[in-house]
Every structure is written in C-alpha cells, then in structure tokens.
Amino acid sequence: MGAIFVDICDVATQPLDVMAGLAFVTRSPNGAENLFVGTVRGVNQGKEVLGVSYDVFESLAKRSFTDICAEARAKWGRELSLYVTHGKGRLPVGGVGIVIAVGAPHRDEAFKACRYVIEQVKHRSPICKLEHYADGDSEWTKGCELCTHEHEVAGHGRHS
Amino acid sequence: MGAIFVDICDVATQPLDVMAGLAFVTRSPNGAENLFVGTVRGVNQGKEVLGVSYDVFESLAKRSFTDICAEARAKWGRELSLYVTHGKGRLPVGGVGIVIAVGAPHRDEAFKACRYVIEQVKHRSPICKLEHYADGDSEWTKGCELCTHEHEVAGHGRHS
Amino acid sequence: MNVTIQCFGVFRSFGDRIALSVEKGTTVCELRGLLRDKLTQLDSSFDNSGLIKNSHFATETEILADSAPLEEAMNIVIIPPVSGG
Amino acid sequence: MNVTIQCFGVFRSFGDRIALSVEKGTTVCELRGLLRDKLTQLDSSFDNSGLIKNSHFATETEILADSAPLEEAMNIVIIPPVSGG
C-alpha cells in the first residue's frame, strides 16, 4: 500500500525538500520514481523577473492536493505513493516552488500520475503568484479560472 | 543554451546523486524540472530480491546516453538541459540505479524528454542486470534486444 | 446579515477582508454583483467584472456552488484565477 | 586471424574473454555461428542460439552491423539483450 503526504511550506523558514519527497515515495514494491520540480524562471513574457511570491489558501490547497493524489491512486494503482509540497512566500529566481514525487512499481504509472498531479494542481489548487520584475513593478499573474472538478481540466491548454 | 551531462558511477564508491542532477538542469531559462529515479525493487516476478548488480559496458553506454540526450534536445528544444547517470556494481533493494534529470522552460517538454530518455536507455544502452534472490540464486534478467537505432524503440512494449 | 470576504491574490489590494451586509437568502451568485459594487465603491478605478466572474468563492473546506445560500457571519474567501505549481 | 570477444552480462559465465581464430573476411553475421560453436564447445550444456541471435557485437565506440567485416586482432564485445535503467 502506498501513502500520501501533502504540505504547504513557508519558504522563508522551510525551503522545499526534494530529497524528502523522493525518500517518502521510494518504498517497496516501487521501483520507479518520477519527480516534478517547479522553479522560478528568470524571464516571463519578455520581462526580467527577480522572484515571485506565492499566496496560498492553505486549508483548501492541502485538501485539493490530497484529493488529487487520491484520484491518481484510483487511476494508476493503490500501491502508488505520492508527495506534494508547495511553497508560500517569496522565492528568488531558481527557487523551488513545488515538489511532486510519485513512486510506483513501474515507470509508466509514475510518469502519468506525476503529470496528472501537476496539471490538476495548476487548475484546481487555490494558489496565486505575484511576479516581481527587475523594473521594480510587481504583478499578479493572470492564472486560469479555478476548476472545481477534475473533469474540467482535461481540455485545458498548456500553462507554464 | 542547455547542457548535457552523462556518467557511469561505481556505486560501491560513488552512489548516484539525485540533487546533483537537479542542480545541473536547473538553470535559466528553465522553470520545469522532471526527474526519473530507478530504484531496486524488493520483488520481481514473485521472487524476493535482495539486490541487483549492474554490468555496464561503459564507453558505449556513455556514448548512447549522450546520443539520446542530443536527440531529446533536437526534439524538444536546444534550451533543454539533461543529466543521466547510471550505476554499475551491486545495489541493495531501494538503491538508486539510474538518475535522469531534465530541465526545460515548460513542463510538457520536461516530462516528454525525460520519458524519452528512460525509454531509449532501456532499449539502447549496453547495460545488463543480475538479480540476487533471497534463496541464494542469482540470474541475469532477460532484457530486450539492443536497439541499434532510435526508430526501433517506439513500437516496443512496456518494461519495468 | 453580515458576511466577511477574505481577500486572496490580486484582491489583496483591497485589504485583508471586506465586510458586506447582505439580505438573508442571498446566494453566492448574487454575491458576485454585490462584491463588484463594493469594490467599485472602494476603488472607483476598479473595472474588472470579468475578474469577479472568473473568481470562485470558498470556505476553509470547500468551493461554494453559485446556488449556495450565504449564512449569517459566514467567512468566505474569494479565489481569483489560480497559478500554482 | 585472431579476434577477441569480451564477455558481458550473461556471457560472463564463459569468462572475461573468448579468443577465436577466424578466416580473413569473416563478417559479424558469420561470427555468430562461430561463437555459438565455441560456446557449445566450452560448455556442452549451452543451448541458446536464440540468445546469440538476439545479441549484438560492438567495439568501444559503436555497434557493429551484421555485414561488417572483422579485422585482425579486433576487440569485440558481445552484448546480450539489455536491461538498464
């Protein structure tokens, strides 16, 4: 049986820990771990970015992560283990904003479940991003309308 | 411009380093990193496994990794950075046998390129696996016939 | 009756919370219009009804359907389009 | 002329290397048959021509095509079906 761990970390005091994610999901009978790490890009839409601040509505965000992980296990197997942590607060360029780790017996499920989790998080988790630009300006990114159900996500286009 | 790093590590003295892979591929203008980590499963086809030994034909294996990474960049963008290290020698259950890390500006390319690399490595890199069982027996896994060209891989079925 | 709307993301420019007095039986759907009026009142340059239309209302535990009725002293958060990950 | 075949993976049960004497102009394809005979000679219980058929021959730098001619004193590695990753 796999396990699920989700958390929101205040990055000022608790940077996201990729190895903790890997360690959590590497358990028998798994042999394939897929990880997604989202980091802050130095340029967005042609503007030089110095960093971003994540605003996270914690209770609901964690609930959405747990729901999404449970859906992934329903789709790809109860033996999957999943780990999702998202940062809140300000991150510099290169800083880690999200860590998703999935452990599965075989790689196909690990890749598919990890991809599923990041797609769903981007559409369903109440998290907003404020970008800080080199010119001193800051702007909330447009984002995409919160999807209130997993079935809504499938047809959406790609976001960063 | 991205970069490519490949290596074979004798795990007795140099365990594979997942964070080194992540650090190598996390570079501007990337914001999405996908990692695949292959670990030793405790059970294979119903038999209890104590560990595996990887036999690697090093020169050709490294060359295959480099070729595969170059193909991934040709397919998904010159800005991709890729890191592939494979272990040689004996690993216990849970030990890390391969680390693939891909950094890309966006997640779609990161996932696809990482998946491409592991599929190609499994079919094209001269690496053999000896499984050590709890009953004292050891056996070379059957594996799949070496593909001498990338186009041969696409139609293959799933392996662990 | 009174409800409190917690601001989140882009709505933080209006402060942490907005208090609204609404009639009993008001639904989430109707709250959108009331909030738009309130925001325009707080900042006359605010002209983004599309943003409110694309936002959702939630409690600590669930996203509220448009048909959901508001309750006395309810704490609601307004969630604009999201961009996590 | 002489060629040396380096054993790899499952072929290691035959030792690290196998020396073979072959005629000039022998190709990789023909080497398969010669190697099968040699392995049967080394171990009479060896009966796995399918394994040799599914193996490839390579140098340090490339996989050899079946049509490639062998050269004097060539070092060749035999690569059985692979299972990396």
Side-chain angles (χ1 to χ4, degrees):
Chain A
M1 270 298 284
I4 291 172
F5 179 86
V6 307
D7 203 10
I8 303 294
C9 300
D10 184 338
V11 294
T13 55
Q14 194 189 358
L16 300 194
D17 186 344
V18 176
M19 289 308 288
L22 178 61
F24 183 81
V25 304
T26 304
R27 54 181 75 200
S28 199
N30 298 342
E33 290 79 39
N34 191 243
L35 290 89
F36 179 79
V37 178
T39 49
V40 178
R41 278 205 304 278
V43 176
N44 196 20
Q45 302 188 320
K47 288 184 87 167
E48 188 185 344
V49 173
L50 296 182
V52 307
S53 294
Y54 282 109
D55 195 9
V56 181
F57 184 39
E58 285 197 46
S59 61
L60 210 54
K62 283 163 80 166
R63 184 174 281 248
S64 72
F65 295 169
T66 303
D67 288 349
I68 291 164
C69 289
E71 290 158 16
R73 293 176 72 204
K75 286 173 191 283
W76 290 288
R78 303 295 296 171
E79 65 278 23
L80 259 62
S81 286
L82 299 101
Y83 174 101
V84 181
T85 55
H86 201 292
K88 69 167 188 175
R90 181 159 176 158
L91 285 168
V93 169
V96 176
I98 187 168
V99 172
I100 300 169
V102 178
H106 298 282
R107 66 186 183 280
D108 192 50
E109 294 84 345
F111 272 96
K112 285 179 177 161
C114 188
R115 184 70 195 259
Y116 178 79
V117 173
I118 181 63
E119 297 304 320
Q120 298 289 326
V121 165
K122 286 196 175 257
H123 291 93
R124 290 165 56 185
S125 299
I127 299 168
C128 292
K129 185 163 71 174
L130 179 65
E131 284 188 328
H132 307 288
Y133 304 109
D135 64 10
D137 208 9
S138 286
E139 208 170 294
W140 292 96
T141 58
K142 294 268 182 294
C144 64
E145 186 184 343
L146 191 72
C147 289
T148 55
H149 200 279
E150 57 167 308
H151 301 304
E152 297 181 28
V153 175
H156 280 237
R158 189 189 74 184
H159 296 260
S160 91
Chain B
M1 269 299 285
I4 292 172
F5 178 87
V6 306
D7 203 10
I8 304 295
C9 300
D10 184 337
V11 293
T13 54
Q14 194 189 357
L16 300 194
D17 185 345
V18 176
M19 289 308 290
L22 179 62
F24 183 81
V25 303
T26 304
R27 54 180 76 199
S28 199
N30 298 341
E33 289 79 39
N34 190 242
L35 290 90
F36 178 79
V37 178
T39 49
V40 179
R41 277 204 306 277
V43 175
N44 196 20
Q45 304 187 317
K47 288 185 89 169
E48 188 186 345
V49 173
L50 297 181
V52 307
S53 295
Y54 282 108
D55 195 9
V56 182
F57 185 38
E58 286 197 45
S59 61
L60 209 54
K62 283 163 80 167
R63 183 174 282 248
S64 72
F65 295 169
T66 303
D67 288 349
I68 291 164
C69 290
E71 289 158 17
R73 294 176 72 205
K75 286 174 192 281
W76 290 288
R78 302 297 295 172
E79 65 278 21
L80 260 62
S81 286
L82 299 102
Y83 174 100
V84 182
T85 55
H86 201 292
K88 70 168 189 173
R90 180 159 178 160
L91 284 168
V93 170
V96 176
I98 187 168
V99 173
I100 300 169
V102 178
H106 299 282
R107 66 185 182 281
D108 192 50
E109 294 84 346
F111 273 96
K112 285 179 177 160
C114 188
R115 183 72 196 257
Y116 178 80
V117 172
I118 182 62
E119 296 305 319
Q120 297 289 324
V121 164
K122 286 196 177 258
H123 291 93
R124 290 164 56 186
S125 299
I127 300 169
C128 292
K129 184 162 71 173
L130 180 65
E131 284 188 329
H132 307 288
Y133 304 108
D135 65 10
D137 208 9
S138 287
E139 208 169 295
W140 292 95
T141 57
K142 294 269 182 295
C144 65
E145 186 185 343
L146 191 74
C147 290
T148 55
H149 199 281
E150 57 167 307
H151 301 303
E152 295 182 29
V153 175
H156 279 238
R158 189 188 76 184
H159 296 261
S160 93
Chain C
M1 64 186 194
N2 296 305
V3 294
T4 303
I5 298 179
Q6 185 183 332
C7 296
F8 182 69
V10 65
F11 291 107
R12 285 194 189 270
S13 62
F14 293 97
D16 280 348
R17 286 182 165 71
I18 296 166
L20 272 182
S21 180
V22 302
E23 308 220 342
K24 227 173 163 161
T26 299
T27 63
V28 164
C29 184
E30 292 160 340
L31 182 62
R32 283 181 208 281
L34 297 171
L35 181 64
R36 187 193 55 226
D37 296 346
K38 179 74 175 184
L39 296 184
T40 311
Q41 183 190 318
L42 289 169
D43 173 5
S44 61
S45 72
F46 180 79
D47 177 22
N48 202 340
S49 54
L51 175 63
I52 295 181
K53 188 169 154 286
N54 291 331
S55 295
H56 285 260
F57 295 91
T59 65
E60 289 279 329
T61 56
E62 59 176 348
I63 310 288
L64 296 170
D66 266 10
S67 58
L70 302 183
E71 287 160 31
E72 170 69 33
M74 206 173 189
N75 281 302
I76 298 170
V77 60
I78 180 162
I79 302 171
V82 296
S83 49
Chain D
M1 65 185 193
N2 296 304
V3 295
T4 303
I5 298 178
Q6 185 184 330
C7 297
F8 182 69
V10 66
F11 291 106
R12 285 194 189 269
S13 62
F14 292 98
D16 282 345
R17 285 180 167 72
I18 295 166
L20 273 182
S21 181
V22 303
E23 307 221 343
K24 227 174 164 155
T26 298
T27 63
V28 164
C29 184
E30 292 161 340
L31 181 63
R32 283 180 206 280
L34 298 172
L35 181 64
R36 188 193 55 226
D37 296 345
K38 178 75 175 185
L39 296 184
T40 310
Q41 181 189 322
L42 289 169
D43 172 5
S44 61
S45 72
F46 180 79
D47 178 22
N48 202 339
S49 54
L51 175 63
I52 295 180
K53 189 169 152 285
N54 291 330
S55 296
H56 285 260
F57 295 92
T59 65
E60 289 280 328
T61 56
E62 59 176 346
I63 311 287
L64 297 170
D66 266 12
S67 58
L70 302 183
E71 288 160 30
E72 171 70 32
M74 206 174 187
N75 281 302
I76 298 170
V77 61
I78 180 162
I79 302 171
V82 296
S83 50

